[in-house]
């Protein structure tokens, strides 16, 4: 009972803290992490025997976040920038890991595997932090840079995870492991499981034919868990599996896709809150004094040398301008996934694990705080803030892509729909009013929106017959676009 009460208090404080964090121009995760640090110091702190639980919870949260990142990909918008984004996420992440590892080895004088592990865990970026700031200020980036960052960050977590697993295996085996074979095995089996799992999920969901929409939510979540677990079982990479699975599902037709999209968008946000708080609880503030100099040196190297060099080498051949390269470089925040991967070292009980974890946590916290507070003025200075309102896609914006049949009707005087709210119309379960045009203006309706005479409404459904029945019942002019 006390735990449930405590959980409710923490979630309420976390959500209410978002207002203050946004006002300060910082990513939301900063506030969540600080809450976790406070809880870890004065309420509950994970002991060594609790690391299995902590890392398990982090993996659970991360797999849902990564699956959602794949499911969130809008390929119609992503196609023009897919090449540069994929190179940034795979080659860019690998180069960043190598550069970070060499810096830690030659400059910070860490042991080789300790240095390479630090480079691997810190190599991924967290675009969600960037978007939380841009969305709070209703801003958008020019030249599809927002989509570049979204694709890069969603797909570089699996790459960084794979590199971390490889170097952990080498460290545990004293370097006797064949790193190339491990890499190919992790990559190939992860992709295979993700592809097959997504196709099976799509086939099963589209043939469930249940009147209960919530069953589809549970079934899709179950398939995400199955993809992750199966990949691990056969020595593949679970995060690559769920990301590839999410991408395959985002491209294909899926029953109740909008409902599924909204659900996983909300779940992803809840998982991020849980993840950031747990990571904050794992950190020991007293370790700051031991790692602050090395942490600062490492953060400066990543921000001003490694990230700019990698983004320039990759983006310049794609014809990107220097100001665009500079912004993408600056927006490469180090985030929660890096800290999760660093926690693997704690679980492995390596002799330098707490030291590396503290450095990585400090670098990530410094990165999102410093870079996050300056991302908007930096983008304005580079003239890369778009004039149009914020249009970065989220899962709830799949609606326009879901249905095959569209019915556009104009409400005539005397129609039974006049003066009724959308909820009062009692439309069939799989028929939705997606747009209303009124007096030359377009609106996205909600259940309480009242229909008026001369409104032009657009209904969507996968069932053409239901739309034709509505045409007769409303007794209005219609146009069906197929």
């Amino acid at each position: 009972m006390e735990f449930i009460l405590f959980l409710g208090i923490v979630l309420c404080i976390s959500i209410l803290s978002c207002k203050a964090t946004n006002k300060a121009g910082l990513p939301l995760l900063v506030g969540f992490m600080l809450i976790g640090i406070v809880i870890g110091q004065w309420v509950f702190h994970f002991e060594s025997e609790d690391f299995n639980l902590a890392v398990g919870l982090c993996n659970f949260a991360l797999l849902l976040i990564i699956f959602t990142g794949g499911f969130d990909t809008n390929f119609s918008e992503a196609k023009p920038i897919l090449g540069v984004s994929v190179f940034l996420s795979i080659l860019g992440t690998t180069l960043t890991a190598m550069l970070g590892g060499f810096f830690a080895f030659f400059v910070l004088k860490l042991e080789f595997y300790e240095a390479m592990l630090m480079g691997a865990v810190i190599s991924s970026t967290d675009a969600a932090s960037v978007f939380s700031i841009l969305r709070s200020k209703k801003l958008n980036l020019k030249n599809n840079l927002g989509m570049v960052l979204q694709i890069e960050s969603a797909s570089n977590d699996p790459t960084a995870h794979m590199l971390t697993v490889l170097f952990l295996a080498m460290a545990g085996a004293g370097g006797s492991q064949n790193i190339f074979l491990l890499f190919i095995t992790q990559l190939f089996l992860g992709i295979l499981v993700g592809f097959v799992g997504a196709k099976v999920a799509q086939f099963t969901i589209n043939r469930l034919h249940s009147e209960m929409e919530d069953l589809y939510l549970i079934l899709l979540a179950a398939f995400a868990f199955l993809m992750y677990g199966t990949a691990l079982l056969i020595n593949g990479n679970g995060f690559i599996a769920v990301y590839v699975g999410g991408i395959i599902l985002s491209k294909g037709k899926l029953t109740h896709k909008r409902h599924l999209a909204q659900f996983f968008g909300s779940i992803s946000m809840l998982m991020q809150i849980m993840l950031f708080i747990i990571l904050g609880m794992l950190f020991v503030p007293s370790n700051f004094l031991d790692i602050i100099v090395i942490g600062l040196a490492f953060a400066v190297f990543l921000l001003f040398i490694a990230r700019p060099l990698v983004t320039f080498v990759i983006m310049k051949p794609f014809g990107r301008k220097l100001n665009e390269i500079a912004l993408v470089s600056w927006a490469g925040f180090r985030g929660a996934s890096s800290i999760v991967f660093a926690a693997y070292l704690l679980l492995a009980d390596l002799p330098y694990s707490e030291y590396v974890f503290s450095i990585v946590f400090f670098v990530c916290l410094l990165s999102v705080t410093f870079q996050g507070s300056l991302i908007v003025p930096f983008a304005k200075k580079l003239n890369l803030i778009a004039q149009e309102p914020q249009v970065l896609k989220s899962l709830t914006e799949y609606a326009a892509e879901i249905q095959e049949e569209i019915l556009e009707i104009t409400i005539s005087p005397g129609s039974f729909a006049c003066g009724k709210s959308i909820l009062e119309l009692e439309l069939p379960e799989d028929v939705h009013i997606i747009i209303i045009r009124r007096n030359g203006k377009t609106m996205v309706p909600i259940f309480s929106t009242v229909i008026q005479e001369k409104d032009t409404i657009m209904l969507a459904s996968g069932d053409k017959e239901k739309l034709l029945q509505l045409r007769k019942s409303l007794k209005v002019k219609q146009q069906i676009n197929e």
Side-chain angles (χ1 to χ4, degrees), residues 24-27 133 137 330 333 366-378:
L26 296 173
I133 296 174
K137 299 182 181 297
W330 187 266
F333 298 179
L366 184 65
S367 173
V368 295
T369 304
F370 179 59
Q371 292 170 248
S373 61
L374 296 177
I375 183 68
V376 171
F378 192 51

Side-chain angles (χ1 to χ4, degrees), residues 90-124:
I90 299 176
L91 180 59
T93 303
T94 304
L95 289 175
T96 301
M98 297 301 103
L99 289 172
F102 290 144
F103 180 81
F105 180 67
F106 289 109
V107 179
L108 304 182
K109 304 299 182 183
L110 303 181
E111 295 295 325
F112 180 74
Y113 291 120
E114 178 182 353
M116 298 311 293
L117 273 170
M118 183 179 290
V121 300
I122 206 72
S123 59
S124 65

